[in-house]
Amino acid sequence: MGNKLIDMNDIKKIMKKKVPLRSAVLYTLATEDSADTTAETTNEDVVAKLRLIYENEKQCSLKVINFHLEALRTSGLIVNTRNTAVNNTLVSYYAVTEQGYRRLKYLPKSLMA
Amino acid sequence: MSTVLTLEDLEALKQRQQLSYAKKGLLFGILSGVFWGLDGVLLGISIAMVPFSDTSLAIYLAPLVGACMHDGFAAFWLFLYNLFTGRSRELLRTLRSRSGIIVAFAALLGGPFAMSGYLLGIQLAGTAHTLAITAMYPALGTVFAMIFLKERVSLRAWIGIVTCILGSFIVGYTPPAGDAHPHFYWGIAFALLPTIGWSLEGVISTYVMDLLDPQVAINIRQGTSFFVYLVGVLPMIGGLLLFKEALILPSAQMLLLTALAGSVSYLFWYKAMNMTGVGRAMALNITYALWSIIFGYFLTDLKLTTPLVCGAVTITLGALLVLANPKELVNLRN
């Protein structure tokens, strides 16, 4: 599957039409190379990126995003690759699975340009 | 002195978080059953009130108008909930998405199709028996989930699901005493419609909730169902007049309260399916057959019979088997 390079300019440009938040979480985790097992993102990075798009929406909080991440993980669309501690706070790393990349086709075509 | 977290500490912490998530899903499943049991009893009271109790009405009219109002009020309560939790804009976004459209389709199955059969069943066979018969839907839903969602269901969970269904048969087999429900077996037949509708709705909705917030998905579901009832079903059956009449009578207030219980139940059901999988969420949801007996005993003149009590105990045992090992829920699919 062709995956696009994700950077902040792309995300801001493409997500003018905001998608449902859980879909946006999955999209934000997607990277150029789906076979690259080192392509992981932390939950806090996901929140930071999505806040630039969803701005002051109440649902765009670490607690809600963690809930969406856990839901995506239990459904097999992402995997928790490793965990670490920053200032004694648990920080989790996630990567999209093959099944997750297949489900990305349900996002608007403009996101996959 | 600060404590440094080791790798083992981190892994243990993460596992605890994941287990906590799974257990919360199980709790939501049970709560969905509690509130649906209450909803069923209150619905029975609502459609026994004027104008629904008018015996000159066609037998299907009151339940269908009641279903329309129930889903409409439930959509209202859920919208308020989403508004206060910062998800109101998410509603429109979701409606514009492909997944949102699929949720709307699932709403047709679980709404007009299933709810109509459900309310006709309550009307014709009584609350406790209808709820017990519709409790078969987890088995069908679990089979669909294993096939289409590749969900893992352990042997113990299957035994629990089958036990719950057995309990529902025990409750549903004996007709009630007296002439309170002269069309009892028609009611049982109508009660099979929600069995099919809810099982399909659950599987389809769970699939799309991989990419959607369940709290938003259920709001769309209720709103779609209400809309289809109002513009499609009611005009077809000549129910708009009864709808307008019921809106200005105390029956509307009763249905508004009933729909609050219903919306809470649906919210928990959708969240449970998303968090613990279709099979377990449905199995825990069907404990509504047990809760309806409890609420019915305290809120109405329901008489406890041996089949009702035996069926309720059997359902409880089945639910306990389903609940047994939350660790199985950390990863739901193959």
Side-chain angles (χ1 to χ4, degrees), chain B residues 123 143 254:
Chain B
Q123 176 92 333
V143 169
M254 190 64 198

Side-chain angles (χ1 to χ4, degrees), chain B residues 222-299:
Chain B
Q222 294 293 68
T224 304
S225 178
F226 168 67
F227 179 76
V228 170
Y229 267 121
L230 192 64
V231 303
V233 178
L234 293 198
M236 226 164 46
I237 62 171
L240 286 173
L241 198 61
L242 179 62
F243 177 83
K244 278 185 228 174
E245 199 183 333
L247 267 181
I248 57 173
L249 290 173
S251 54
Q253 291 160 19
M254 190 64 198
L255 273 168
L256 185 66
L257 179 67
T258 304
L260 177 58
S263 61
V264 170
S265 173
Y266 266 113
L267 185 64
F268 283 141
W269 187 47
Y270 266 47
K271 288 181 85 162
M273 285 195 291
N274 185 231
M275 294 167 80
T276 68
V278 171
R280 286 176 194 80
M282 286 184 174
L284 292 173
N285 178 255
I286 60 164
T287 58
Y288 63 61
L290 161 69
W291 297 107
S292 73
I293 293 167
I294 295 170
F295 287 121
Y297 179 75
F298 286 107
L299 296 177

Side-chain angles (χ1 to χ4, degrees), chain B residues 133-316:
Chain B
I133 286 297
T134 56
M136 280 194 293
Y137 86 93
L140 203 55
T142 303
V143 169
F144 288 145
M146 289 175 78
I147 295 169
F148 298 115
L149 303 180
K150 306 285 187 268
E151 273 189 16
R152 288 198 285 245
V153 183
S154 67
L155 178 61
R156 186 201 318 102
W158 259 117
I159 293 171
I161 292 166
V162 170
T163 306
C164 287
I165 292 167
L166 179 64
S168 76
F169 277 130
I170 293 170
V171 173
Y173 181 71
T174 307
D179 294 329
H181 301 285
H183 304 290
F184 177 78
Y185 288 107
W186 271 112
I188 296 297
F190 276 116
L192 290 173
L193 295 182
T195 304
I196 299 164
W198 287 338
S199 60
L200 285 174
E201 179 203 352
V203 172
I204 294 169
S205 295
T206 299
Y207 181 71
V208 295
M209 279 192 291
D210 285 351
L211 296 175
L212 294 181
D213 190 322
Q215 286 147 129
V216 172
I218 185 55
N219 203 165
I220 291 172
R221 186 261 190 223
Q222 294 293 68
T224 304
S225 178
F226 168 67
F227 179 76
V228 170
Y229 267 121
L230 192 64
V231 303
V233 178
L234 293 198
M236 226 164 46
I237 62 171
L240 286 173
L241 198 61
L242 179 62
F243 177 83
K244 278 185 228 174
E245 199 183 333
L247 267 181
I248 57 173
L249 290 173
S251 54
Q253 291 160 19
M254 190 64 198
L255 273 168
L256 185 66
L257 179 67
T258 304
L260 177 58
S263 61
V264 170
S265 173
Y266 266 113
L267 185 64
F268 283 141
W269 187 47
Y270 266 47
K271 288 181 85 162
M273 285 195 291
N274 185 231
M275 294 167 80
T276 68
V278 171
R280 286 176 194 80
M282 286 184 174
L284 292 173
N285 178 255
I286 60 164
T287 58
Y288 63 61
L290 161 69
W291 297 107
S292 73
I293 293 167
I294 295 170
F295 287 121
Y297 179 75
F298 286 107
L299 296 177
T300 68
D301 57 358
L302 178 73
K303 301 284 181 288
L304 293 181
T305 60
T306 305
L308 274 183
V309 173
C310 290
V313 169
T314 307
I315 289 168
T316 307

Side-chain angles (χ1 to χ4, degrees), chain A residues 18-23 26 54 57-59 70-75 80 83 88 92 94 103 106, chain B residues 3 10-11 14 17-18 21 84 86 89-90 93 98 207 209-214 274 330-332:
Chain A
K18 294 173 193 169
V19 294
L21 189 62
R22 187 170 290 184
S23 303
L26 182 64
Y54 292 85
E57 285 192 31
K58 199 170 162 183
Q59 60 165 344
E70 192 57 25
L72 288 167
R73 190 198 64 75
T74 53
S75 301
N80 176 209
N83 304 293
N88 256 8
S92 300
Y94 296 92
R103 293 299 296 275
Y106 289 109
Chain B
T3 307
L10 290 170
E11 292 306 317
K14 194 62 188 173
Q17 276 186 352
Q18 291 172 357
Y21 177 88
F84 285 122
R89 279 180 275 187
E90 187 79 354
R93 266 176 232 145
R98 192 188 305 189
Y207 181 71
M209 279 192 291
D210 285 351
L211 296 175
L212 294 181
D213 190 322
N274 185 231
V330 174
N331 291 295
L332 295 176

Side-chain angles (χ1 to χ4, degrees), chain A residues 18-25 46-48 50-51 53-69, chain B residues 81-94 211-217:
Chain A
K18 294 173 193 169
V19 294
L21 189 62
R22 187 170 290 184
S23 303
V25 169
V46 171
V47 175
L50 290 176
R51 273 193 180 143
I53 296 153
Y54 292 85
E55 293 163 338
N56 296 325
E57 285 192 31
K58 199 170 162 183
Q59 60 165 344
C60 200
S61 65
L62 181 62
K63 184 181 172 187
V64 173
I65 299 298
N66 277 340
F67 171 74
H68 287 311
L69 285 166
Chain B
Y81 171 77
N82 282 320
L83 187 67
F84 285 122
T85 55
R87 291 178 172 88
S88 55
R89 279 180 275 187
E90 187 79 354
L91 272 170
L92 277 175
R93 266 176 232 145
T94 304
L211 296 175
L212 294 181
D213 190 322
Q215 286 147 129
V216 172

Side-chain angles (χ1 to χ4, degrees), chain A residues 88-108:
Chain A
N88 256 8
T89 303
L90 179 67
V91 174
S92 300
Y93 288 75
Y94 296 92
V96 181
T97 62
E98 195 183 315
Q99 191 187 345
Y101 277 108
R102 281 201 296 272
R103 293 299 296 275
L104 282 171
K105 71 181 178 183
Y106 289 109
L107 292 177

